[in-house]
């Protein structure tokens, strides 16, 4: 979870009323982040690993690890996105101003994937209260790097996932998340020329969106093999039933 300037917040240490916090469930759905370079000074809940506030000037300090970025909205947004492009690993949350110059330059031309959120987000005040009104515009999550793109696709958040420049298998990740376990395993088995060892099946399923959401995914695979249209050829080796 993280807090940030966002929503038109600006680099003024006294302007706490212009600071807004991202709904914590959004960042939680995307996993652990190492740095928030636009964090508010006052934070009502645990956030990312390290925070830079207005007192630090996050644009000037070193960035490291996986970055969560909800930048000051408006004329400064492009500067912060340009820095994230250079850093190469992280996710930004901005308004979906797809007609702007900075969106074409730093998002369409540089990002790995997008998730356009359904509806309009209600941000939080720095004391943790949910804002009465929504933010007034649609929001989009922008992933930089294949790892962040995969997390975006597997987040389960309501919206439209759009891959931009990814390896081919990432382009089908969002659709794969809707598969049943049986369908996912069948796809692996049918894609092999013969029976498949359980270790090979584990390896193939390790990057699947369903595995990312289930800490006991190996146990789930074994359970599905026992219950679904599968046949054990010999110990630890399976194939799709004819």
């Amino acid at each position: 979870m993280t807090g940030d300037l966002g929503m038109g917040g600006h680099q003024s240490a006294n302007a706490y009323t212009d600071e807004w916090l991202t709904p914590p469930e959004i960042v939680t759905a995307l996993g652990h982040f190492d740095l928030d370079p636009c964090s508010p000074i006052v934070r009502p809940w645990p956030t990312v690993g390290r925070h830079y506030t207005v007192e630090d000037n996050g644009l000037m300090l070193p960035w490291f690890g996986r970055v969560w970025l909800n930048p000051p909205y408006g004329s400064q947004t492009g500067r912060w996105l340009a820095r994230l492009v250079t850093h190469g690993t992280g996710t930004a949350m901005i308004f979906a101003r797809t007609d702007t110059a900075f969106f074409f330059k730093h998002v369409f031309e540089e990002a790995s994937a997008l998730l356009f959120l359904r509806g309009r987000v209600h941000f939080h005040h720095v004391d943790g209260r949910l804002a009465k009104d929504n933010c007034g515009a649609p929001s989009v999550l922008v992933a930089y790097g294949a790892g962040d793109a995969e997390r975006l696709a597997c987040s389960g958040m309501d919206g439209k996932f759009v891959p931009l420049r990814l390896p081919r298998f990432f382009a089908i990740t969002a659709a794969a998340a809707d598969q049943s376990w049986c369908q996912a395993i069948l796809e692996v088995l049918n894609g092999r020329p013969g029976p498949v060892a359980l270790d090979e099946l584990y390896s193939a399923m390790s990057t699947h969106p369903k595995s990312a959401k289930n800490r006991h995914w190996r146990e789930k695979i074994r359970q599905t093999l026992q219950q679904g249209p599968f046949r054990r050829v010999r110990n630890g080796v399976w194939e799709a039933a004819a």
Side-chain angles (χ1 to χ4, degrees), residues 180-186 189 198 201 205 210 214 216-231 238-239:
S180 68
W181 280 98
C182 183
Q183 290 170 327
I185 293 171
L186 275 173
L189 296 181
L198 193 56
L201 183 58
M205 289 292 294
K210 300 196 76 66
N214 189 332
H216 302 297
W217 58 273
R218 290 181 179 84
E219 292 88 340
K220 186 64 178 179
I221 287 173
R222 293 196 298 271
Q223 180 187 53
T224 305
L225 287 170
Q226 296 288 342
Q227 298 174 347
F230 308 105
R231 186 176 73 87
W238 293 81
E239 67 180 3

Side-chain angles (χ1 to χ4, degrees), residues 2-5 11 19 34-43 47-65 67-70 72 80 83 87:
T2 188
D4 39 70
L5 288 172
Q11 297 285 337
E19 292 184 333
D34 300 297
L35 174 67
D36 178 353
C38 294
S39 179
I41 296 173
V42 179
R43 296 183 297 274
T47 56
V48 302
R50 176 75 181 275
H51 305 86
Y52 295 157
T53 72
V54 63
E55 296 178 341
D56 301 311
N57 192 354
L59 274 176
M60 302 301 295
L61 293 176
W63 288 16
F64 58 90
V67 170
W68 167 256
L69 180 70
N70 189 340
W80 290 90
R83 179 67 186 274
H87 180 68

